[in-house]
Amino acid sequence: MKLKPILIAFAALVVFAACQSNSVSKSVTLTNDIDSASYALGVLIGQNNKQSLDATPGAENIDLDIMVNAFLGQMKGEEEPQIDATSALTIIQEFFQKATDGVALENAAEGEAFLAENKLKDGVQTTESGIQYEILVEGEGAKPSAESTVTCHYTGTLIDGTVFDSSVERDEPASFKLNQVIPGWTEALQLMAVGSKWKIYIPSELGYGENGAGADIGPNSALIFEIELLEIAD
């Protein structure tokens, strides 16, 4: 658990919480350069750190009033902190690591249960590594190697159906080298012929593992992709 991104991200939460605590209106009047600079700083902090906050397990449980009280006390130099800086870093590390571990264990258990049930469904096949797939359309073209650059359309979802990425929605196929994506994609796409469309179920260890990715893919998340292999570029 890296503390620096968390502390930077919480700058946005501090601004939000301070506004709540002081009942500041959502609409403000900018009358001079200081007002504009202050507002601009808030915009940048919020936009640049929102995703980090959303992706940090445990952030939603923070008591905003307590946090803002400590923040303002230190910024104004009005009081000695009840917790010194060294202890504060340790407390933050342990708190967020515990929250992350809890989410990771829950995701792992849910993913294992889902895959155990899913593999029993008609039409679902399982590779030796644990990847599951359904053949929706069987193509007749060539199959890529691990070093190939491919072009495909795809939609990625969590096991609860949440869509986290889709080239189909963007209406723009994606091109990439197979040895530069998650292991589940590298393995599964080598089994597909050009023109194929498969639904692929990827265990977390062959996806983004214990780190997860972005705000939507938590640690130890099993993933589902519907992939259409359009072309092998080389």
Side-chain angles (χ1 to χ4, degrees), residues 136 153-157 168 185 197-200 224-228:
L136 306 179
H153 258 313
Y154 68 91
T155 296
T157 65
V168 177
W185 272 57
K197 186 175 183 180
W198 288 15
K199 193 169 187 177
I200 301 171
I224 303 171
F225 289 94
E226 193 167 290
I227 304 174
E228 181 180 7

Side-chain angles (χ1 to χ4, degrees), residues 164-184:
F164 58 81
D165 192 15
S166 176
S167 69
V168 177
E169 292 182 359
R170 292 191 297 272
D171 194 25
E172 183 178 354
S175 297
F176 47 83
K177 292 188 73 67
L178 276 188
N179 59 7
Q180 296 178 353
V181 291
I182 59 174

